[in-house]
């Protein structure tokens, strides 16, 4: 395992809150190595060009096509990180979270 950090962020049709959360991660003194954004609603987040990352943070957007509810949405994001990375630390945030600069 590497010493990296992966963050799963949940969204449910609240693009402004999600942008604030992702922005707080991007403004940290240490940034996550990857963010997995679980789009758990009907309205897809269109913050910037998420397909190429958010503010320089590699970002993966998982769109379930329906509301999986909180636990299943979190599991979707965590399963992605478990299967596709070897990061040592995994964090789950709701989109209304604001990370302090020293969070990661």
């Amino acid at each position: 395992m590497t010493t990296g950090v992966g963050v799963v962020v949940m969204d449910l049709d609240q693009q402004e809150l999600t942008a604030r959360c992702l922005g707080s991660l991007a403004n940290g003194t240490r940034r996550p190595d990857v963010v997995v954004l679980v789009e758990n609603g009907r309205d897809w987040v269109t913050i910037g060009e998420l397909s190429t990352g958010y503010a320089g943070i590699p970002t993966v957007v998982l769109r379930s096509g329906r509301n999986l509810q909180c636990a299943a949405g979190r599991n979707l994001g965590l399963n992605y990180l478990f299967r596709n990375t070897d990061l040592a630390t995994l964090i789950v945030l709701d989109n209304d979270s604001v990370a302090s600069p020293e969070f990661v």
Side-chain angles (χ1 to χ4, degrees), residues 4-22:
V5 175
V7 178
V8 174
V9 176
M10 301 288 296
D11 175 74
L12 180 58
D13 300 335
Q14 297 175 317
Q15 183 167 314
E16 288 180 24
L17 285 176
T18 301
R20 185 180 70 174
C21 178
L22 294 175

Side-chain angles (χ1 to χ4, degrees), residues 7-99:
V7 178
V8 174
V9 176
M10 301 288 296
D11 175 74
L12 180 58
D13 300 335
Q14 297 175 317
Q15 183 167 314
E16 288 180 24
L17 285 176
T18 301
R20 185 180 70 174
C21 178
L22 294 175
S24 72
L25 292 170
N27 291 326
T29 54
R30 178 164 184 243
R31 300 165 76 175
D33 296 286
V34 64
V35 170
V36 175
L37 175 63
V38 178
E39 178 49 73
N40 213 16
R42 294 177 304 219
D43 297 329
W44 289 1
V45 173
T46 57
I47 303 165
E49 189 58 45
L50 284 177
S51 62
T52 58
Y54 183 79
I57 301 172
T59 305
V60 176
V61 180
L62 302 178
R63 294 185 169 107
S64 64
R66 63 185 177 91
N67 185 354
L68 298 175
Q69 304 297 323
C70 190
R74 288 177 176 164
N75 287 339
L76 179 66
L78 289 171
N79 284 338
Y80 178 88
L81 289 173
F82 281 130
R83 292 183 178 142
N84 296 287
T85 72
D86 62 349
L87 300 171
T89 303
L90 305 180
I91 300 168
V92 177
L93 295 176
D94 291 328
N95 66 330
D96 60 351
S97 301
V98 176

